[in-house]
Amino acid sequence: MATDIVAQLADCLAKTGVEEGELSYKGQGRKLDTAQSVEEIVKEIQDFQGLQALRLEGNTVGVEAAQAIAKALETKNEFKCCYWSDMFTGRLRSEIPPALNSLGDALLTAGARLTVLDLSDNAFGPDGVKAIEKLLKSSACHTLQELRLNNCGMGIGGGKILAASLIECHKKSSAEGAPLSLKLFIAGRNRLENDGATALAQAFQLMGSLEEVHMPQNGINHAGVTALATAMQHNADLRVLNLNDNTFTKKGAIAMAQALKHLRNIQVINFGDCLVRSEGAMAIAETVSDGLPILKELNLSFGEITEEAAVALARAVKGKAQLEKLDLNGNSLGEQGCQAVKDVMSDMNMGDFLGSLSDDEGEPEDDDEEEEDDEEEDEDEEEVDEEEVEEEEEEDEEEEEEEESTANKVSTPPSTPRPPDVSSFLSFPSPDKLLKLGAKRALLIEQHVDVADAMKTAEAFLKISSVYKEENEDVKNAVLDSIDAILKKAFAAPSFQGYSFVSSLLVLLGLIKSEDKVKPVLVVPGHLQALEHIVRQDYFPKESVAVLEAFMSRNNKALDTCGNAKNSLQSTLQRVRSES
């Protein structure tokens, strides 16, 4: 009798787990194809009062089985946690979206308020992300704290859909007075690349609530890393940042070093196998030395770091009372460099915290190798820049020839005032000065603005648009032609960061605070009217529309004097987003 009771108790614990409100079938390897195959699970879900979590990891669930489970979940209004990783093994890719749709719709019907959504290790690709898009945008996810999507094959497209869904969720939840405050985000091994990472960076910056971010092995290089670095600055409570096995190079590492200066709560930094190189490592060392008081782990392994930078990193952790590990394995220190790092750590009585250096690559054969690699990294950008410069020089020469020809034919009286130049207009903008720049004003302004710099481009946009007048057709057209010219050129450049441009614009408009204490402009209706124009243009990235919409929907004193223009812009942003 006692044996039977123990057996029943063991069986119960195996199914339910030890967490209160949790029903678990974790790791049971069941092949659940039909409604009949899940009859037992369905009954247990139905009978479980106060169900808060369901674990289906390590089983394989078909469409019909998922629909039956979903039906049982429709009455579970206390439901919070979906532990649904690795539950489509052996399934056709086409089976996964309808299964996810059924489960998601059931949670909406139940009025669930999720805190955990774990769909890791389900290789569902972009179609799988589309299948959970409705769920992510819904009120069920307004309370989401953990989103785990590791190894799902999302790709760039899936990353963009995910980012847009999170932005939409944040907007809707903010309107209800309780903004989405995601704390944990995991999306390793998803081939997000630069575009996917940049799209997600917009969502991260908007939320500003992240405590852990894990995005290893995503094919992200310095452009995407820089976007993520900018976003991380706005997540002051960030404790863990894992970007292992992406490609920072010097540019990305320096950008991330700057971001880390704002993250005093950071405890774990994993930039292993990220090719940070020596210059990037030196920048990170400076940040570590000057701040990061509760740092526990710093991983800069396999990054082509040489002796000088490695020693700087070792010295930088001095005084870090909570340090548990410094990992510099697999770099290019050489035997002497390895010993130098060990000596520095030993002298600080921190030798036990230094990881193994057994896989060191030895001193680099060519001191110039790192510099040459960096030059290769920028080769495409430089080629584009050179072509643009050559075109501009040719255009300048043509203009000079035309001016000389005109000067030979017509003598200008000495008393005629010199027409204003572009510098004069941009320093002190006025409608009159813009019109007097003549028919080639757009080209002249385009050549004058450094469109490789997102902040300078945003500043130029606001200066030009400040003279916009809806009632004056000539001024209106001159403004729109000019901003189209500089923004088309900017967004067409491979090195231009559209995300950084939007961020700079929001800072200058006073809609978000700048860490660099950038002084906002005095917002006038022309700024918003011009912004309404550019969001409708093909060159403007559609993924940035939702970001602008979210910020424009907030109550902000900076926009108080632009009521009609603000309302019109909001309507246009909503329409553009719905059409995209």
Side-chain angles (χ1 to χ4, degrees), residues 147-165:
L147 181 57
R148 302 168 183 263
L149 295 169
N150 200 59
N151 191 32
C152 289
M154 290 190 287
I156 294 172
K160 288 184 175 181
I161 295 168
L162 176 60
S165 300

Side-chain angles (χ1 to χ4, degrees), residues 512-526:
I512 57 176
K513 292 182 179 179
S514 167
E515 298 291 344
D516 300 322
K517 297 182 179 179
V518 174
K519 187 177 180 181
V521 302
L522 176 63
V523 183
V524 296

Side-chain angles (χ1 to χ4, degrees), residues 23-304:
L23 185 59
S24 177
Y25 302 91
K26 181 178 179 179
Q28 295 185 12
R30 299 193 189 191
K31 193 172 188 296
L32 307 170
D33 295 323
T34 64
Q36 185 177 0
S37 68
V38 292
E39 283 181 349
E40 178 190 351
I41 294 175
V42 166
K43 186 175 187 309
E44 288 174 344
I45 292 173
Q46 291 171 338
D47 293 344
F48 199 121
Q49 298 300 312
L51 180 65
Q52 295 181 19
L54 176 63
R55 288 188 172 274
L56 294 172
E57 311 104 303
N59 298 285
T60 177
V61 183
V63 176
E64 188 179 330
Q67 289 170 342
I69 292 171
K71 187 68 177 174
L73 287 172
E74 287 182 353
T75 60
K76 303 301 174 181
N77 59 359
E78 296 179 46
F79 196 79
K80 294 179 180 179
C81 303
C82 306
Y83 296 107
W84 298 344
S85 64
D86 188 24
M87 67 172 197
F88 295 116
T89 301
R91 298 289 169 186
L92 294 174
R93 196 158 176 172
S94 59
E95 291 182 84
I96 301 175
L100 289 174
N101 275 324
S102 298
L103 292 165
D105 287 346
L107 298 178
L108 299 186
T109 301
R113 290 283 179 161
L114 298 183
T115 57
V116 178
L117 179 58
D118 184 358
L119 291 168
S120 295
D121 301 313
N122 292 312
F124 48 51
D127 290 342
V129 186
K130 288 179 183 176
I132 60 171
E133 183 179 10
K134 181 180 176 182
L135 174 64
L136 287 171
K137 290 180 177 181
S138 74
S139 58
C141 286
H142 288 185
T143 50
L144 195 64
Q145 295 185 12
E146 297 183 13
L147 181 57
R148 302 168 183 263
L149 295 169
N150 200 59
N151 191 32
C152 289
M154 290 190 287
I156 294 172
K160 288 184 175 181
I161 295 168
L162 176 60
S165 300
L166 291 173
I167 289 169
E168 180 74 9
C169 183
H170 185 273
K171 178 192 169 186
K172 289 180 177 178
S173 57
S174 297
E176 294 181 6
L180 170 65
S181 297
L182 194 67
K183 290 179 169 45
L184 172 67
F185 180 83
I186 300 178
R189 300 182 66 187
N190 270 293
R191 297 178 287 107
L192 294 170
E193 301 182 17
N194 285 340
D195 289 349
T198 299
L200 284 166
Q202 297 181 52
F204 296 163
Q205 178 168 333
L206 194 61
M207 291 186 292
S209 57
L210 290 165
E211 295 179 6
E212 290 191 37
V213 174
H214 300 264
M215 297 174 67
Q217 293 183 306
N218 269 298
I220 308 168
N221 66 30
H222 70 85
V225 171
T226 299
L228 288 170
T230 302
M232 291 306 120
Q233 295 181 33
H234 297 269
N235 289 264
D237 293 328
L238 192 69
R239 294 183 292 103
V240 179
L241 182 56
N242 175 11
L243 296 175
N244 188 282
D245 199 8
N246 290 290
T247 307
F248 283 34
T249 61
K250 178 181 70 177
K251 285 185 177 180
I254 291 174
M256 197 57 75
Q258 290 298 314
L260 289 171
K261 291 180 180 180
H262 304 279
L263 302 174
R264 293 186 59 79
N265 291 311
I266 199 82
Q267 296 179 8
V268 177
I269 300 170
N270 186 347
F271 297 160
D273 205 12
C274 283
L275 205 64
V276 298
R277 296 205 171 114
S278 295
E279 193 168 347
M282 291 292 281
I284 293 171
E286 180 183 348
T287 296
V288 171
S289 180
D290 293 342
L292 314 191
I294 57 174
L295 184 66
K296 289 184 177 180
E297 182 176 334
L298 177 60
N299 183 350
L300 290 172
S301 58
F302 298 94
E304 292 191 3

Side-chain angles (χ1 to χ4, degrees), residues 413-425:
S415 60
T416 303
R418 183 178 178 182
D421 58 17
V422 177
S423 297
S424 174
F425 166 70

Side-chain angles (χ1 to χ4, degrees), residues 549-579:
E549 185 184 0
F551 280 100
M552 289 298 164
S553 64
R554 296 178 177 179
N555 290 325
N556 194 298
K557 292 181 180 179
L559 306 180
D560 283 351
T561 59
C562 308
N564 292 336
K566 177 187 174 184
N567 294 337
S568 180
L569 173 58
Q570 284 180 294
S571 298
T572 297
L573 287 168
Q574 290 173 1
R575 186 167 62 255
V576 171
R577 181 173 56 79
S578 64
E579 292 172 354

Side-chain angles (χ1 to χ4, degrees), residues 337-385:
C338 288
Q339 190 58 51
V341 170
K342 291 176 182 177
D343 290 345
V344 169
M345 294 295 285
S346 295
D347 290 344
M348 298 186 299
N349 294 319
M350 301 177 77
D352 292 342
F353 305 139
L354 178 65
S356 170
L357 298 174
S358 60
D359 293 321
D360 187 73
E361 297 287 340
E363 294 182 43
E365 295 180 5
D366 185 353
D367 291 340
D368 295 329
E369 184 174 320
E370 180 175 310
E371 184 177 335
E372 289 171 1
D373 288 344
D374 281 341
E375 289 172 358
E376 287 174 9
E377 173 190 301
D378 297 334
E379 186 177 3
D380 291 340
E381 295 173 15
E382 289 175 354
E383 285 178 358
V384 172
D385 289 342

